Amino acid sequence: MKKRSIGFRLAAWYFLVLGCGLAAFSIIAWFAMQASIYHAIDDELRDRVRGVAKFMDLQTASLSIPEVRDEFREHSVLGPGGDLFQVCDQDGQWLYRSVPLEGNNVPIIRPTALDIPRFETLRVQGRLLRFYSRRIDVNGKPYTVQVAAPLHEAFEALDRFRLLLLFAAPLLLVAASAGGYWLSTRALSPVDEISRAAQRISIENLADRLPVSQTGDQLQRLSETLNAMFSRLDAAVRRITQFTADASHELRAPVSLIRTTAEVAVQKEDRTAQEYFQALQEIVSESERTSQVVDSLMLLARADSGTETLECADIDACTIVREAAAQGERLARNHGLAFLLKLPKAPVPIEADSNALRRALLILIDNAVKYTPRGGSISIELQTSKGFAVVSVSDNGIGIAKTEIPHIFDRFWRADKARSREEGGAGLGLSIAKWIIEMHRGTIDVGSELGTGSTFYVRTPLHDRTVR
Ligand code: ADP
């Protein structure tokens, strides 16, 4: 089912919440009004009983009963609702009973049975009356005074109020919801602006940014978040573009060298077998180098896409270092370099993909060999430190300048491009080594000084289980 727009949903919620609020308010207001009407009537009834009591206090001693009745009759008609009252003595005899109450069904309450004053609502001859009955003592004799007030006027007011609520509340609700809908669409219009601006940004103009209004609210945060995302995308696209350019450059050089060598070889027909052999040898070695670059590029591409995974197992780091060193030693000796390996006696348990980790170490050893002149030396050492297995690969070769150290793990980065090319490096070795080591939750660092030599440190976490 198609979802409604956010503006509509906001207005619907607003309608619902406001509707419940208005309904609750109307019910509370109606009951509050009813309570306040009863309160006002009850207060008035209390006052009237007090008036009767005062009158009887002053007059009953000096007047006869018929005179008292006359006085009551005279005074009772003056006040509002004053004609509704009756007084009886302790024997249940009426001392006074106003005309509208005569012959009604109001039960007589003897003063002796009326310890606590009592309010009640009774229907008398079809009219609803509010009664207040209280015992008073005059000259030592108890009497029951009952005063009443009609409720129909109050009920009419309550009915009018209820009608008002019934009509006004829905009207208010509809008007407020329409206003809410208008407000929500207005409040969301900047979001539309942001999405229109975001739509204009594509791969061609990834450096463009959305305008950020300094409102400190969600809209500012949304624009800033989108801008931060564009920055990340921009950087990623730049990296990919740079990578593609570097990769094509790196591949073009050997391919054109192969082509030139082959072209030169076939230009003249009367070449000696030795010349052809030399040309083919060059082509083979350039092809090998090209395949290596392609392999490295493919590995990095798989690493970037997350498809290249490692198969880690519990292993003794000494085994991996020993295997890598065996290969490295042959390489070092071929280049006229001394080679030293130092391993601890106890096993160093780590969880690793032995092929991958060996490859990373070989990259470091290969670099040490490449960048150390004849007569130099290379040493490999494995130690444990603070929960890590630490392999250090040191050489006393040409070293790396301080300014270049931050770049050496970048792809295609070479300190001395011309010379490195001769050595066969494409500037991808250290990026691959770094990726492998980070996949082992480890780190790689370098300490180096130009002209003195370099030491690369590989740290991988020790594994607490016993080595199998
Ligand atoms: P390459 O294949 O060119 O060796 P790497 O990524 O392995 O590429 O190394 C990047 C650069 O770092 C090298 O070109 C070199 O300038 C520098 N480098 C790496 N290892 C050493 C080292 N042991 N001594 C001096 N320079 C080094």
Side-chain angles (χ1 to χ4, degrees), residues 367 370-371 395 399-400 408 413-415 420 425-427 429-430 454 456:
N367 278 348
K370 276 193 294 192
Y371 303 114
D395 63 66
I400 309 163
I408 58 168
W413 194 90
R414 294 187 299 244
S420 291
L430 285 182
S454 319
F456 284 82

